[in-house]
């Protein structure tokens, strides 16, 4: 860790003195670095502990959170990211300020900060308290733990740590701990930086009459990062008492901000007349409605939180469209490109998208009744996989043909 810290300081010295350098790495990182950062930020300790605990306590259904993320990744890469980059937005709330107004920007930034401080960052730290290693499959060890130990563990989040403690040779414990800490810190520092960025660029400007100089903004960001980190350290141990396990508690509490943000972003991108009041109503409505339905009246409203997500999403889209009908914007919103990066489309975007979707389908086929759930891989399974292979061959072959 000392070596990594030393190299990081040496490579970044003098390049983080202004806002672009500190918050955006000078806008100079290539696709490989950005993809690697996204991967390491996503695949962290809360997945290792949470997903294995979910597999131990319930079944493999929680893999949908990771597997189907490919669908969202494709949508982001082909639809949302080009607009985000073309607009040169520093944060998502910056886009919401352009689409709606600064109050919507601040409300969304506060939602993100609360989510980071109360749930996301503490979950990464809580997971890091256990001495575990990143497995190739993030849920199969949980199933193995259930067959080895039965349902008797005090909390389902102990499934994977107990398995590692009993089966891993003691000589390898230090190596596994080092890998685990790398997984924890990769997510931790990314989320801390995101929180500081949201505060300094989305919340602070509304609190001051005059903007801070770049050097002062960077200095304040470091202070904010420290405060968020200390607060998260205090909250993290409390997650041990989550009765449904780490993974479920993360998903339940992120419901306070992910659905309203998704709603106002989607409606904002694909409509021109929805006013800012529609977005504000959705944020306030969702926070109250979700909180009441999930925590105050959970004995009456027995919907699973995912189904509650869906119901509230439909209602909130309707609220925004109704606002556009009753009080439309005085002037329709138009997107004004001001790209500060190369916007040339990647020629392998569609083939990669096809391959990602094929991987999603293949994973579900593997664990379906025509796959491992049936005890053997029969003709239907191999026929499905062969069909996916043919589709991929076509997707990769013909774009190259057209370039020749």
């Amino acid at each position: 860790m000392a070596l990594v810290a030393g190299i990081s300081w040496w490579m970044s010295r003098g390049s983080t003195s202004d806002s672009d350098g500190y918050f955006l790495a000078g806008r100079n990182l290539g696709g490989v670095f950005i993809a690697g950062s996204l991967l390491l930020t996503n695949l962290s300790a809360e997945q290792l502990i949470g997903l294995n605990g979910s597999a131990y306590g319930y079944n493999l259904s929680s893999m949908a959170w990771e597997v189907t993320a490919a669908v969202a990744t494709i949508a982001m890469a082909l639809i949302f990211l080009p607009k985000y980059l073309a607009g040169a937005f520093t944060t998502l709330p910056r886009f919401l300020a352009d689409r709606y107004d600064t109050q919507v920007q601040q409300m969304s930034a506060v939602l993100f900060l609360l989510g980071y401080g109360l749930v996301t960052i503490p979950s990464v730290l809580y997971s890091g308290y256990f001495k575990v290693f990143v497995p190739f499959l993030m849920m199969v060890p949980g199933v193995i733990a259930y067959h080895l130990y039965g349902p008797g563990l005090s909390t389902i989040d102990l499934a994977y740590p107990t398995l590692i403690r009993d089966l891993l040779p003691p000589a390898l414990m230090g190596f596994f701990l080092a890998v685990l800490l790398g997984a924890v810190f990769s997510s931790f520092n990314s989320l801390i930086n995101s929180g500081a960025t949201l505060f300094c660029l989305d919340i602070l400007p509304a609190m001051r009459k005059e903007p801070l100089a770049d050097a002062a903004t960077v200095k304040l960001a470091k202070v904010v990062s420290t405060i968020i980190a200390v607060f998260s350290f205090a909250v993290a141990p409390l997650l041990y008492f989550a009765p449904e396990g780490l993974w479920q508690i993360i998903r339940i509490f992120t419901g306070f901000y992910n659905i309203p943000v998704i709603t106002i972003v989607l409606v904002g991108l694909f409509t021109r007349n929805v006013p800012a009041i529609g977005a504000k109503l959705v944020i306030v409505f969702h926070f109250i409605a979700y909180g009441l339905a999930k925590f105050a009246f959970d004995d009456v409203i027995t919907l699973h939180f995912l189904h509650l997500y869906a119901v509230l999403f439909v209602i909130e889209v309707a609220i925004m469209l109704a606002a556009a009908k009753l009080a439309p914007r005085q002037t329709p919103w138009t997107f004004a490109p001001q790209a500060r990066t190369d916007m040339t489309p990647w020629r392998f975007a569609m083939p990669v998208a096809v391959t990602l979707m094929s991987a999603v389908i293949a994973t579900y086929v593997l664990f379906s009744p025509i796959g491992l759930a049936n005890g053997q891989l029969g003709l239907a399974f191999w026929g499905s996989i062969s069909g996916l292979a043919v589709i991929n061959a076509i997707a990769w072959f013909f774009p190259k043909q057209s370039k020749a």
Side-chain angles (χ1 to χ4, degrees):
M1 288 189 290
L3 177 62
V4 172
I7 294 174
S8 300
W9 173 81
W10 180 262
M11 296 298 294
S12 62
R13 69 191 193 286
S15 63
T16 58
S17 57
D18 61 5
S19 294
D20 270 5
Y22 186 83
F23 297 117
L24 302 173
R27 299 181 186 269
N28 294 322
L29 294 182
V32 174
F33 287 98
I34 294 172
S37 176
L38 289 172
L39 177 65
L40 292 174
T41 299
N42 179 256
L43 299 180
S44 187
E46 75 271 22
Q47 272 83 9
L48 306 182
I49 299 299
L51 284 175
N52 279 299
S54 181
Y56 168 82
Y58 304 101
N59 51 46
L60 289 174
S61 59
S62 290
M63 75 178 188
W65 286 103
E66 296 301 316
V67 176
T68 58
V71 180
T73 302
I74 293 169
M76 180 189 72
L78 300 182
I79 301 172
F80 304 113
L81 191 59
K83 282 189 175 293
Y84 189 83
L85 292 176
F89 300 114
T90 308
T91 63
L92 183 59
R94 281 278 177 103
F95 162 73
L96 296 178
D98 179 79
R99 175 58 180 84
Y100 299 107
D101 62 18
T102 54
Q103 287 185 327
V104 175
Q105 175 190 18
Q106 294 156 21
M107 292 170 74
S108 62
V110 169
L111 285 178
F112 277 123
L113 278 176
L114 289 175
Y116 286 168
L118 291 173
V119 181
T120 310
I121 300 176
S123 70
V124 172
L125 296 174
Y126 164 75
S127 304
Y129 292 160
F130 300 107
K131 314 300 188 279
V132 294
F133 176 63
V134 182
F136 177 70
L137 294 174
M138 289 195 171
M139 299 191 74
V140 172
V143 176
I144 295 172
Y146 181 82
H147 287 281
L148 286 177
Y149 308 118
L153 297 180
S154 60
T155 172
I156 62 176
D157 289 333
L158 286 173
Y160 194 49
T162 303
L163 191 68
I164 292 299
R165 181 199 65 193
D166 293 345
L167 301 183
L168 187 69
L172 294 179
M173 281 293 186
F175 172 76
F176 279 83
L177 176 59
V179 175
L180 170 68
L181 290 176
V184 171
F185 289 145
S186 67
S187 294
F188 181 67
N189 60 23
S190 296
L191 292 167
I192 289 292
N193 181 264
S194 296
T197 303
L198 288 169
F199 180 83
C200 293
L201 301 186
D202 294 312
I203 297 177
L204 182 65
M207 300 166 58
R208 293 180 55 87
K209 294 181 179 179
E210 297 181 359
L212 282 175
D214 264 1
T217 301
V218 171
K219 184 177 180 180
L220 178 63
K222 295 176 181 178
V223 174
V224 173
S225 297
T226 303
I227 293 172
I228 295 174
V230 171
F231 179 77
S232 300
F233 272 110
V235 173
L238 301 178
L239 295 178
Y240 176 82
F241 302 101
E244 296 179 305
L246 176 64
W247 194 247
Q248 294 296 315
I249 205 70
I250 294 172
R251 303 280 74 81
I252 290 172
F253 275 93
T254 53
F256 274 107
Y257 65 88
N258 57 11
I259 297 303
V261 169
I262 289 170
T263 303
I264 62 179
V265 168
L266 287 176
V267 174
L269 278 173
F270 297 109
T271 66
R272 301 178 62 198
N273 294 311
V274 174
I277 187 63
K280 296 170 189 175
L281 286 173
V282 161
I283 292 174
V284 175
F285 167 79
H286 181 90
F287 193 86
I288 295 173
Y290 184 77
L292 291 175
K294 192 61 195 166
F295 298 99
F297 302 114
D298 55 324
D299 55 338
V300 178
I301 303 175
T302 57
L303 281 176
H304 189 275
F305 72 90
L306 288 178
H307 298 153
L308 188 58
Y309 280 10
V311 171
L312 290 176
F313 175 76
V314 172
I315 293 173
E316 288 158 18
V317 169
I319 289 173
M320 297 195 72
L321 295 180
K325 190 73 173 177
L326 298 174
R329 288 175 58 111
Q330 293 182 350
T331 56
W333 175 73
T334 55
F335 178 72
Q338 47 183 344
R340 296 171 63 182
T341 56
D342 184 7
M343 297 298 295
T344 305
W346 186 37
R347 65 192 183 106
F348 294 118
M350 288 307 298
V352 169
V354 171
T355 299
L356 283 174
M357 283 301 303
S358 299
V360 172
I361 296 170
T363 302
Y364 275 92
V365 169
L366 177 64
F367 291 104
S368 72
I370 66 171
L372 294 177
N374 191 38
Q376 60 181 355
L377 304 179
L379 184 61
F381 171 81
W382 291 114
S384 301
I385 298 300
S386 298
L388 291 173
V390 170
I391 292 172
N392 275 268
I394 294 172
W396 283 93
F397 177 73
F398 281 106
K400 293 182 180 180
Q401 283 277 76
S402 63
K403 296 287 181 182

